[in-house]
Amino acid sequence: MRLTPTLRTYLLALWITFTAKMPCAADDFQLILNGLPQLHVADSPGFQVSPGCQLSYSAILKFPFNSHPAAMEEWMKAYGYQACYWIRFSLENTTSQTIEAYLHVDFFGKIVLYALIPGDTLQYTGGPDVSSSPHTPVATLHAIRFQVPAHQQIQYLVQLSSTSDDDLGATNLEISSPTSLSQSFLRQYFHDRLTRLLQLLFLGFMCSQMLYVLFQWMIVKRKEYPYYFLYLGLVTLYYLHKYYHQIGIYWPFAYYPELRFYLKSILLMLPYLFYLKFIRNFLELSTLDKNVERQIIRLENGIVIYMIVDLLLRTCFPEKTWINELLMISIFIVFMYCLYLIFLLMKHHDLLISLILTGGLIAGAGGVAGILITLLENNMGIIHINLNNLVPGQIGVCIETIIFTTSLGIKIRRIEKEKIKNQQKLIQQLQENELLRMNMENIRNKIAQDLHDDIGATLSSILLYSHAAMQRKKMSTQEAKAIFDKINRISTDMMENMSDIVWAIHPLQDSMEKLIHRMIYYALPLARAKNITFHFHEGEQVRDVELDMNKRKNIFLIFKEAICNALKYAEATLIDVNLYLNDGQLHLVIKDNGKGFAEQDTEGNGLRNMKYRCRECDGEITISSAPGQGTCIHLQIPVQIR
């Protein structure tokens, strides 16, 4: 596959940035005078090292200085950040005026300049406590201003040291005039233009991603988006503070270098905290996996506690380098614990979970790779190639944000599908509610019709019989008894019908068990009163059947009509009832051994009522009978089982 010229240029630039001299070693160290013809170097510079920065400047003077510039390179490879480096040189002012000069050394965080006065006494000349403000020229921020008296030769001693927050190394020790210092700064600024371009592209990418997340949060209003926004903001701020010199954004880190020291744990550990909160909410671990959610919350609390302890340590022991080593170890422990949590979550085998965890793993691995480069190169001296330890982390963050965008698209599609599914369920529920409402309306109408037909007709009959009795002035006892018997019978039937209607609509009777009890309670006493044997057989799972009010009422009334016919007309000695389930149908079979009837006699009012009630339940009814062979009524109604 052939690469396009643009892609080849980009990959070349990325490689140059990765191998750029962030920590830089000395190579033929020189003392250079820029724009100061009045000053002369009196003798060759000397070099000395203090492992662990344990020797004071007075103790350093008791040891001989090495005159070979290569010694600085060997010491920096051997000790790295764990030492202070001393350079001794002499300057002679041959003029009659005091000369103002600036001392600058590349790639060291802390520079202190002493002047050696007679009596081997060191006089502090300049160092990191020199105040600066936003009005201080950028070129002079990392330079020490000092003066060389007229017609004098002064010996100076420079102490160089760094923490892991700073770059380490030295190419030259430059002593410049104010004009030359500004020119040197501009040359270096333009020399870093390739790194600046790549870092500005990275910052632009991160800022665009932050805006995208912010807009998503404004639209969706989900709480994981602010956490991810803060994560991106802290990562961007971290790389801004590491590349501020190359990018050209000097405020506030160049003017307040103490911020870089005290904010280090916040800028490195706090992104982990917000990313864990993002994952916990984005993957909805409270419902997905409560065990992993509890462990992530513990890790979040541990990160907060560590940051507080780190700030206290940096406040109490600002000169100790082991604080930074402890921070690197803590980051590695957090990363390994995150690997364990990723292993626990991977068991769910979900594409969205896999993408998010892969992105977090790549971002964390990039940061850990940078830490390993720092340890192997500067602290252990194993790697001798000058690698940029920040680039792996930046690559990991870029890949992670791309994966996040992909995961967000997948989740939005899932949410839309879930929303459509919920809408379909809602529509179905509304349709079912409307059907239920119509059924209830039909039931109400039916109850009203039953009340009107039964009670109205019964009361009308009672009224007619009562009116007839009142019209007859002379009525025999037998005639009066017949009228009152009719009124009593009609009233009894009406009370039974009212009892059936009240029972059918009462919610406490809304179960198959109550229906069976009422059927037996109704039929058994009547059968015994006529010396008829009554058997009731109940099949398995019959009591698990769910019946609505309409079906329950119609089944009972069909049963009641069949029992009444058998008791009144069949002259039977045995009534056998069988209630069972088969293929989602409730079967009710009522048999008697009575005299039966011919087929042409099957259209009486009672039988017609049974067929009508069966149709209301979407069921089927079969009435089988013949003279001398008894009668069998077989009812089938579709039902649901709990």
Side-chain angles (χ1 to χ4, degrees):
M1 181 181 66
R2 300 188 61 183
L3 299 177
T4 63
T6 304
L7 183 58
R8 285 200 301 270
T9 304
Y10 180 80
L11 293 176
L12 177 61
L14 187 63
W15 170 251
I16 293 174
T17 303
F18 182 64
T19 57
K21 300 200 298 184
M22 291 292 293
C24 184
D27 185 14
D28 295 334
F29 187 89
Q30 300 180 29
L31 177 61
I32 300 174
L33 298 178
N34 292 324
L36 294 171
Q38 308 92 333
L39 294 181
H40 302 279
V41 179
D43 54 10
S44 299
F47 308 95
Q48 188 55 271
V49 63
S50 172
C53 295
Q54 297 177 354
L55 299 178
S56 63
Y57 59 83
S58 57
I60 284 293
L61 293 175
K62 298 178 181 179
F63 294 92
F65 278 70
N66 194 323
S67 60
H68 297 287
M72 284 285 287
E73 180 181 2
E74 297 299 327
W75 289 335
M76 280 186 283
K77 288 181 180 179
Y79 300 111
Y81 299 114
Q82 311 297 324
C84 293
Y85 305 92
W86 297 82
I87 303 175
R88 186 178 64 186
F89 63 94
S90 298
L91 292 179
E92 181 181 4
N93 183 0
T94 59
T95 66
S96 58
Q97 295 179 350
T98 300
I99 298 176
E100 181 180 89
Y102 287 87
L103 182 142
H104 174 71
V105 181
D106 292 333
F107 306 118
F108 268 99
K110 183 179 179 181
I111 306 173
V112 183
L113 179 64
Y114 300 95
L116 187 61
I117 61 178
D120 287 340
T121 302
L122 289 179
Q123 180 181 8
Y124 178 79
T125 303
D129 58 343
V130 177
S131 61
S132 61
S133 69
H135 302 289
T136 304
V138 177
T140 63
L141 284 175
H142 298 288
I144 295 178
R145 179 176 174 271
F146 68 102
Q147 293 181 340
V148 182
H151 298 296
Q152 289 193 27
Q153 179 178 329
I154 306 294
Q155 192 173 49
Y156 294 96
L157 201 62
V158 179
Q159 181 188 14
L160 305 174
S161 61
S162 283
T163 67
S164 59
D165 298 322
D166 307 304
D167 302 326
L168 173 67
T171 54
N172 296 305
L173 190 153
E174 298 183 5
I175 300 174
S176 308
S177 65
T179 302
S180 299
L181 181 66
S182 299
Q183 293 174 350
S184 177
F185 172 80
L186 291 175
R187 284 195 301 270
Q188 183 62 39
Y189 182 82
F190 287 109
H191 180 268
D192 295 333
R193 62 183 179 274
L194 183 58
T195 302
R196 183 181 310 110
L197 174 62
L198 292 176
Q199 293 309 314
L200 288 176
L201 288 175
F202 173 77
L203 291 179
F205 174 78
M206 296 298 290
C207 290
S208 63
Q209 192 72 10
M210 290 169 63
L211 289 175
Y212 172 73
V213 173
L214 183 62
F215 290 148
Q216 286 293 327
W217 176 71
M218 293 173 64
I219 296 172
V220 183
K221 296 294 184 183
R222 293 181 62 91
K223 60 182 179 181
E224 61 260 29
Y225 292 114
Y227 291 135
Y228 194 75
F229 178 84
L230 292 173
Y231 157 75
L232 292 177
L234 287 169
V235 170
T236 303
L237 190 62
Y238 171 75
Y239 287 108
L240 179 63
H241 109 276
K242 297 298 290 186
Y243 282 105
Y244 74 92
H245 182 73
Q246 289 88 348
I247 297 175
I249 303 176
Y250 299 98
W251 196 91
F253 300 112
Y255 293 94
Y256 304 101
E258 61 275 6
L259 289 176
R260 302 176 63 207
F261 178 74
Y262 288 104
L263 294 180
K264 184 166 187 177
S265 66
I266 294 177
L267 295 178
L268 283 175
M269 294 293 279
L270 203 55
Y272 276 96
L273 176 65
F274 287 125
Y275 196 80
L276 289 171
K277 289 182 176 293
F278 157 72
I279 287 180
R280 187 156 51 87
N281 289 276
F282 188 80
L283 298 180
E284 298 177 353
L285 293 182
S286 58
T287 56
L288 179 68
D289 197 322
K290 288 188 175 294
N291 177 45
V292 176
E293 183 192 30
R294 286 193 295 268
Q295 297 197 49
I296 289 180
I297 291 175
R298 292 194 200 104
L299 182 57
E300 292 172 1
N301 296 333
I303 291 175
V304 172
I305 293 172
Y306 175 80
M307 286 190 298
I308 295 174
V309 173
D310 184 86
L311 287 175
L312 292 176
L313 291 176
R314 290 176 185 273
T315 302
C316 299
F317 309 101
E319 300 295 330
K320 301 297 183 180
T321 58
W322 54 263
I323 297 177
N324 292 321
E325 297 173 358
L326 180 62
L327 176 60
M328 292 182 182
I329 294 173
S330 301
I331 293 175
F332 185 76
I333 292 174
V334 169
F335 176 72
M336 295 304 296
Y337 196 85
C338 289
L339 284 180
Y340 168 70
L341 296 177
I342 289 174
F343 173 76
L344 293 180
L345 285 173
M346 283 297 185
K347 66 182 181 182
H348 295 283
H349 303 291
D350 183 83
L351 176 61
L352 184 62
I353 296 175
S354 300
L355 281 175
I356 287 294
L357 296 181
T358 301
L361 177 63
I362 292 174
V368 171
I371 292 175
L372 291 177
I373 290 174
T374 301
L375 292 174
L376 296 176
E377 183 177 14
N378 298 324
N379 295 64
M380 301 180 182
I382 296 177
I383 298 178
H384 301 291
I385 302 174
N386 295 318
L387 300 178
N388 188 337
N389 58 351
L390 300 178
V391 170
Q394 289 179 289
I395 295 174
V397 169
C398 289
I399 296 175
E400 187 277 327
T401 52
I402 294 172
I403 292 177
F404 163 76
T405 305
T406 305
S407 304
L408 184 59
I410 293 175
K411 185 164 187 179
I412 289 174
R413 285 198 298 271
R414 287 188 178 182
I415 292 174
E416 289 297 325
K417 290 182 180 178
E418 188 68 24
K419 185 185 297 183
I420 293 173
K421 184 178 179 181
N422 292 334
Q423 288 175 348
Q424 291 175 345
K425 287 183 178 179
L426 180 60
I427 293 172
Q428 183 179 0
Q429 185 65 40
L430 291 174
Q431 291 174 346
E432 292 176 356
N433 291 341
E434 180 63 20
L435 181 61
L436 179 61
R437 187 193 66 79
M438 294 176 64
N439 290 335
M440 292 299 295
E441 188 70 23
N442 293 333
I443 292 172
R444 289 174 60 189
N445 293 335
K446 181 61 180 174
I447 292 173
Q449 182 180 354
D450 290 344
L451 290 174
H452 177 270
D453 294 344
D454 293 342
I455 298 176
T458 302
L459 291 177
S460 297
S461 299
I462 293 173
L463 179 61
L464 291 174
Y465 285 122
S466 301
H467 184 69
M470 292 174 61
Q471 293 295 325
R472 296 184 182 183
K473 296 180 179 179
K474 294 181 180 181
M475 181 186 302
S476 64
T477 303
Q478 186 176 0
E479 290 176 337
K481 184 177 181 299
I483 290 176
F484 286 121
D485 284 342
K486 289 181 180 180
I487 293 175
N488 180 62
R489 179 170 50 80
I490 294 171
S491 301
T492 302
D493 291 341
M494 183 185 71
M495 290 179 64
E496 288 184 0
N497 291 337
M498 282 293 298
S499 177
D500 293 339
I501 293 173
V502 171
W503 173 84
I505 64 176
H506 201 292
L508 293 179
Q509 310 300 330
D510 195 13
S511 70
M512 194 66 192
E513 183 179 1
K514 295 293 179 66
L515 174 61
I516 293 172
H517 287 168
R518 186 166 180 84
M519 295 167 86
I520 297 173
Y521 176 78
Y522 172 79
L524 186 59
L526 294 176
R528 286 177 177 175
K530 292 201 171 189
N531 294 322
I532 297 175
T533 304
F534 178 78
H535 293 158
F536 192 96
H537 306 282
E538 177 187 340
E540 296 181 358
Q541 292 185 316
V542 167
R543 302 201 177 199
D544 295 332
V545 170
E546 292 185 350
L547 291 177
D548 57 37
M549 182 178 66
N550 189 47
K551 287 184 178 180
R552 182 162 48 88
K553 182 191 74 169
N554 286 324
I555 290 174
F556 177 73
L557 292 179
I558 291 172
F559 171 82
K560 182 179 178 181
E561 185 70 30
I563 294 296
C564 286
N565 291 338
L567 292 173
K568 289 181 181 180
Y569 311 117
E571 300 178 5
T573 60
L574 173 66
I575 298 176
D576 188 83
V577 179
N578 194 1
L579 188 66
Y580 62 94
L581 285 172
N582 186 23
D583 294 333
Q585 300 273 336
L586 179 66
H587 294 257
L588 175 63
V589 181
I590 305 169
K591 293 182 179 180
D592 66 66
N593 62 351
K595 63 181 183 179
F597 52 86
E599 278 189 37
Q600 59 268 24
D601 298 330
T602 59
E603 292 301 324
N605 289 332
L607 299 181
R608 280 198 296 269
N609 287 337
M610 284 193 287
K611 292 179 179 180
Y612 172 74
R613 295 186 185 280
C614 179
R615 286 195 299 270
E616 280 191 339
C617 299
D618 298 325
E620 296 180 2
I621 189 168
T622 303
I623 301 173
S624 304
S625 182
Q629 297 182 8
T631 302
C632 177
I633 298 175
H634 187 180
L635 175 67
Q636 300 179 60
I637 294 178
V639 294
Q640 292 182 348
I641 302 177
R642 290 192 292 269

